[in-house]
C-alpha cells in the first residue's frame, strides 16, 4: 500500500491506466471493444411496474428474464437462462450486439460501437448489469422493460474492472444498476448481496423519486442514468468565472431547498426549493452583500433514509443532505417541478451561471468522509457496500466498519482506488459544473490511512492540492472528525488549504457573552489567529471565521438558550454538542420580555460586527441576517416543513432592522482594505488601547486599525453588564472621529455610513454593546 501511496503523490497527473496498473499489476489495459460481436439477442421482461407513475424507480420484481453473455475465452456459448415462464417475455425484442467493452473511463461512456459500462470491484466473483429501458413515447418516465446481462469474468473483466459495451441502446433515459456477488465472509470485511441492485459509483446522473419528501415513494430505489442526447450546455460568449481573491470573500452558507421552500418566498410552487429558486433570489444575496455561497450538500442523497425502518427518528426528513449516495450526480429532487436528473443537471448549471454573472462564487460542501450506507446494525446498501465493502470503507482487523464519521461508516479515502474516485468527482464538478471551490466535511477523515491511523502527509490531501484541474479552486477543510482528530491550525495544507476556524467560533462566543479571561483570546481571533496560521506561507484568509454554522445553534439560539432543546427529533437530547457557549440573556427560550429581546438583538449585532471586522475570511449562516431564526438546536436533519419558514416571513422582512444592519456591515467590510489584510497585521497596522491584559475580570477591548492613507477605524467591544466610559484616542492629523456603528442604538442609528461626528473626547459604551468609529477629514 505504501507503494500505491507514493505513486499517487507525484506532481505530474496520474493516468487511470497508470493508477490501476499499479493496483492490479500484470493486467493489460489496452482497449478491447473492437468488433468482437456475439450476435446475442436480448430477452426482455414484459411485465412492468406501473404503480410509480413516473415518480420512482421500479418496484423490485421477481418477474425478470436473465441474459448471459457468450463466454468468448473458452468458446462455449451459453444459452440464455430464463427464470420465469416464456409467457412472461416479450414475443419479439430488439436484436443488439454486445462487445466485451473497455475498462476506461469508469461509469458509462459513449464509444464508437455503442454504450460502454465499466465498474470496479476487486473482490467480486460475479457482476450482472441491470438495465431498465424507457417506455416508447414516454420520455422521462421510469417504468420500462428490464434486462439483466451477466458479465463474463473471462471476456468482460480487465484487472479488477468489469466492463461491457452494448450497441444501439438508447442514448438517454436508460436506467442502470448492478447486481454483484462475492465472498460471504463478514469477518474479512465482505458485504456482498446479489439480491440488491446497486448504483454505479461513477454514475453522472441518478434517478429515484421525483419529489422531495414524497412519503408515498419512501422505499423507492435509486439507479444511475445517462444522457448523450442533450446538447452541451451554453455558458455564453461573455461568461467568465468571478475569480474573487480569497482575502475578499464573504461566504454565505446556505441550503438550496431551505432557501426558498416556504411559501413566503413568493415564488411559484414549481420552483420553490429548487436550483431555479436560488436564481430568483440572487437579488437578495446581492442586497445582503455576500460574494460567495457555500451550498450544503447537493450530491444525490435520500432525504427519507430514516423512514426505512421503525426508529425514534422515523418521522424526520433529512433536509441538510449529509448522507451521500453518489459523488457525481446533482441532487435530482432540487430540479423544479419534479423534473428529474437530467433537468437537475441543466438547472444546476443555470444556477451557477446566474450566480457567476452576479459576481457570486459557488463553493460546495462535500462529504467524502462517509456515505448513506450506515452501519452493520441498520445498513442501507445502495452502492459501495455491495460493490466492494472491503475497498471502499475502513475496517478493523475483524472486518468490522470503523466509524470516525459518527455515521456508521468511514470512507477509505487514502486507498488508491477510492482516492481516484474522489479526485475524479472533484474534477467533474469543476469541469462540468464550473464550481469555484469545496468545503470538505469532517476533513480530518481524509487524513487517515486505510487502517484509520492519522497520516502526516495524506496522499489524498496532497493530490487535491497539486491537481491541475483543481488549482483554481478554493479548498476548505473542516479540520476535525468524530474520532477526535482535531487539526485546527495544523491541518496538512501545503500552504493552500483553508480551515474552518473552530477556535474563532468558541473564543468569540465566550467573550461576547461575557466570560471572564477571554480578552486576550478574543484579540488574537479578531486580528487573524496568527497563533494558528502564521506558518510557512499561510495567510489570514486561510482561517474561515464563523460564529454560527449549520451544525448546532442558530444565531437566534445562541442568544436565547443556555441548553439544547431537541425534544422533537427523537434523540432524547443526546445529539449535538453540549458545549455551545451560549447565553439566553436572562430567559430560556422565547419571551415577551422587552429588555431580554433588546439585549438579544444587541448581542446578535455584536457577533456580526466582530465577524466582519476580523482578519480572515468571514462566513455567516443563511438566516443570520434576520435575527429571528427558528431554532435548530444541533439537529442536522430537522423537520423539512418548518426548517426555514423564518427565511422570508412577511413581505417586508427583507427590509427588517437586522437585515439592514447585517447588509450595511458586510458592505462596509468589503469596501475597506483595513479589514482584509493579505498578510498578518503588524504593530504598525494596529494599536491596542489596553494596559489591562492580565486582568481576568476585564471584559472590554478597544483597538484602532490603521489604513494606508493615514486614516483609521476605532473599535471597542464591551461585554460587561455595565457602562464603560472610554477616552477616545487622538484621531489622525486633520481628522476627527465619526460614529458609524453603535449596536446599542436602534435602527437606523445603529449603522450610519457617513458617520455621526463625535463631539466629545470620551464615549460611554453601553453594556453588551460595541462601537465602530471612523477617522475622517
Amino acid at each position: 500500500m505504501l507503494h500505491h501511496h507514493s505513486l499517487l503523490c507525484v506532481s505530474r497527473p496520474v493516468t487511470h491506466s497508470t493508477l490501476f496498473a499499479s493496483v492490479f499489476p500484470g493486467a493489460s489495459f489496452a482497449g478491447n471493444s473492437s468488433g468482437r460481436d456475439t450476435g446475442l439477442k436480448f430477452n426482455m421482461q414484459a411485465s412492468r411496474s406501473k404503480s410509480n407513475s413516473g415518480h420512482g424507480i421500479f418496484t423490485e420484481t421477481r418477474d425478470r428474464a436473465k441474459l448471459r453473455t457468450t463466454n468468448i475465452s473458452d468458446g462455449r456459448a451459453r444459452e440464455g437462462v430464463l427464470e420465469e415462464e416464456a409467457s412472461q417475455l416479450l414475443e419479439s425484442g430488439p436484436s443488439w450486439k454486445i462487445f466485451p467493452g473497455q475498462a476506461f473511463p469508469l461509469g458509462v461512456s459513449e464509444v464508437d460501437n455503442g454504450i460502454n459500462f465499466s465498474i470496479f470491484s476487486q473482490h467480486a466473483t460475479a457482476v450482472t448489469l441491470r438495465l431498465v429501458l424507457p417506455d416508447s413515447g414516454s420520455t422521462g418516465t421510469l417504468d420500462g422493460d428490464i434486462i439483466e446481462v451477466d458479465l463474463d469474468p473471462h471476456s468482460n473483466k480487465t484487472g479488477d474492472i468489469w466492463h461491457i459495451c452494448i450497441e444501439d441502446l438508447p442514448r438517454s433515459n436508460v436506467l442502470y444498476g448492478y447486481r454483484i456477488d462475492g465472498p460471504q465472509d463478514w469477518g474479512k470485511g465482505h458485504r456482498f448481496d446479489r439480491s440488491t441492485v446497486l448504483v454505479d459509483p461513477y454514475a453522472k446522473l441518478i434517478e429515484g423519486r421525483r419529489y422531495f419528501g414524497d412519503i408515498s415513494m419512501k422505499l423507492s430505489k435509486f439507479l444511475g442514468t445517462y444522457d448523450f442526447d442533450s446538447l452541451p450546455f451554453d455558458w455564453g460568449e461573455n461568461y467568465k468565472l468571478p475569480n474573487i481573491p480569497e482575502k475578499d470573500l464573504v461566504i454565505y452558507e446556505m441550503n438550496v431547498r431551505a432557501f426558498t421552500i416556504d411559501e413566503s418566498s413568493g415564488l411559484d410552487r414549481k420552483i420553490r426549493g429548487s436550483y431555479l429558486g436560488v436564481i430568483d433570489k440572487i437579488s437578495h444575496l446581492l442586497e445582503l452583500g455576500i460574494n460567495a455561497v457555500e451550498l450544503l450538500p447537493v450530491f444525490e442523497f435520500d432525504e427519507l433514509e430514516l423512514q426505512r425502518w421503525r426508529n425514534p427518528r422515523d418521522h424526520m426528513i433529512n433536509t441538510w443532505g449529509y448522507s451521500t449516495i453518489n459523488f457525481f450526480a446533482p441532487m435530482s429532487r432540487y430540479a423544479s417541478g419534479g423534473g428529474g436528473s437530467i433537468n437537475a443537471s441543466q438547472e444546476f448549471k443555470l444556477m451557477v451561471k446566474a450566480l457567476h454573472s452576479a459576481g457570486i462564487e459557488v463553493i460546495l460542501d462535500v462529504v467524502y468522509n462517509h456515505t448513506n450506507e450506515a452501519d452493520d446494525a441498520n445498513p442501507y446498501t445502495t452502492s459501495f457496500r455491495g460493490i466492494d465493502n472491503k475497498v471502499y470503507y475502513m475496517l478493523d482487523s475483524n472486518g468490522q466498519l470503523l466509524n470516525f464519521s459518527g455515521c456508521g461508516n468511514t470512507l477509505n479515502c487514502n486507498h488508491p482506488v477510492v482516492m481516484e474516485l474522489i479526485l475524479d468527482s472533484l474534477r467533474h464538478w469543476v469541469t462540468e459544473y464550473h464550481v469555484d471551490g469545496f468545503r470538505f466535511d469532517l476533513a480530518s477523515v481524509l487524513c487517515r490511512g486505510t487502517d484509520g491511523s492519522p497520516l502526516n502527509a495524506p496522499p489524498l490531501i496532497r493530490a487535491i492540492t497539486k491537481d491541475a484541474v483543481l488549482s483554481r479552486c478554493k479548498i476548505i477543510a473542516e479540520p476535525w472528525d468524530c474520532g477526535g482528530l482535531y487539526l485546527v491550525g495544523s491541518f496538512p495544507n501545503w500552504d493552500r488549504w483553508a480551515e474552518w476556524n473552530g477556535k474563532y467560533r468558541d473564543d468569540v462566543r465566550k467573550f461576547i457573552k461575557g466570560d471572564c479571561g477571554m480578552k486576550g483570546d478574543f484579540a488574537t481571533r479578531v486580528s487573524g489567529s496568527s497563533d494558528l496560521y502564521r506558518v510557512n506561507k499561510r495567510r489570514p484568509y486561510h482561517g474561515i471565521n464563523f460564529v454560527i454554522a449549520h451544525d448546532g445553534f442558530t444565531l437566534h439560539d445562541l442568544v436565547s438558550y443556555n441548553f439544547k432543546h431537541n425534544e422533537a427529533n427523537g434523540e432524547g437530547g443526546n445529539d449535538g454538542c453540549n458545549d455551545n457557549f451560549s447565553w439566553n440573556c436572562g430567559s430560556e427560550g422565547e419571551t415577551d420580555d422587552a429588555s431580554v429581546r433588546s439585549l438579544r438583538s444587541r448581542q446578535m449585532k455584536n457577533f456580526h460586527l466582530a465577524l466582519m471586522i476580523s482578519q480572515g475570511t468571514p462566513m455567516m449562516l443563511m438566516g443570520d441576517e434576520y435575527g429571528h431564526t427558528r431554532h435548530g438546536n444541533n439537529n442536522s436533519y430537522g423537520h423539512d416543513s418548518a426548517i426555514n419558514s423564518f427565511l422570508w416571513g412577511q413581505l417586508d422582512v427583507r427590509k427588517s432592522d437586522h437585515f439592514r444592519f447585517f447588509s450595511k456591515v458586510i458592505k462596509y467590510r468589503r469596501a475597506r482594505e483595513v479589514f482584509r489584510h493579505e498578510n498578518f497585521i503588524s504593530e504598525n497596522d494596529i494599536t491596542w488601547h489596553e494596559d489591562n491584559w492580565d486582568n481576568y475580570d476585564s471584559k472590554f477591548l478597544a483597538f484602532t486599525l490603521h489604513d494606508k492613507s493615514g486614516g483609521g477605524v476605532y473599535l471597542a467591544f464591551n461585554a460587561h453588564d455595565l457602562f464603560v466610559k472610554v477616552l477616545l484616542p487622538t484621531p489622525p492629523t486633520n481628522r476627527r472621529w465619526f460614529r458609524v456603528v453603535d449596536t446599542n442604538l436602534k435602527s437606523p442609528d445603529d449603522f450610519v455610513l457617513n458617520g455621526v461626528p463625535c463631539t466629545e473626547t470620551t464615549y460611554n459604551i453601553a453594556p453588551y454593546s460595541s462601537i465602530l468609529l471612523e477617522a475622517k477629514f
Side-chain angles (χ1 to χ4, degrees), residues 309-366:
W309 83 100
R310 293 189 65 82
N311 66 87
R313 299 194 296 167
D314 60 13
H315 62 294
M316 295 176 63
I317 292 176
N318 178 351
T319 192
W320 281 164
Y322 290 87
S323 198
T324 310
I325 288 177
N326 171 277
F327 297 121
F328 292 84
M331 177 60 172
S332 60
R333 285 169 300 290
Y334 288 170
S336 62
S341 60
I342 295 177
N343 285 331
S345 176
Q346 293 294 308
E347 292 177 9
F348 188 96
K349 293 173 185 175
L350 286 171
M351 178 189 69
V352 172
K353 180 179 177 180
L355 286 165
H356 282 176
S357 296
I360 298 173
E361 291 197 337
V362 179
I363 299 170
L364 301 187
D365 191 341
V366 291

Side-chain angles (χ1 to χ4, degrees), residues 143-144 454 598 639 708:
D143 302 316
S598 176
H639 296 282
K708 296 178 181 178

Side-chain angles (χ1 to χ4, degrees), residues 285-305:
L285 299 175
L286 292 174
E287 188 176 355
L288 179 59
I290 58 92
N291 57 14
V293 291
E294 183 179 297
L295 303 180
L296 267 65
V298 293
F299 295 1
E300 185 73 29
F301 66 93
D302 182 4
E303 71 278 12
L304 299 180
E305 61 182 356

Side-chain angles (χ1 to χ4, degrees), residues 510-532:
K510 286 188 280 188
F511 177 82
I512 294 293
K513 80 183 183 75
D515 282 3
C516 293
M518 293 305 302
K519 179 165 60 178
D521 294 321
F522 179 70
T524 299
R525 299 299 155 236
V526 298
S527 59
S529 296
S530 60
D531 62 324
L532 301 175

Side-chain angles (χ1 to χ4, degrees), residues 449-505:
T450 55
D451 62 352
S453 59
L455 303 173
N456 291 327
L460 175 58
I461 299 299
R462 188 185 191 281
I464 292 171
T465 308
K466 304 296 183 180
D467 189 85
V469 174
L470 305 178
S471 61
R472 74 167 179 84
C473 293
K474 279 78 175 177
I475 45 178
I476 303 168
E478 182 184 35
W480 52 79
D481 64 20
C482 293
L485 190 56
Y486 188 78
L487 297 175
V488 174
S490 60
F491 190 85
N493 56 78
W494 283 272
D495 297 327
R496 257 202 79 194
W497 283 75
E499 302 175 16
W500 267 28
N501 190 347
K503 291 185 178 179
Y504 180 97
R505 172 200 59 204

Side-chain angles (χ1 to χ4, degrees), residues 160 214 221 259 375 511 547 557 649:
D160 290 330
D214 182 358
K221 304 297 182 182
F259 190 48
D375 54 20
F511 177 82
V547 178
D557 294 340

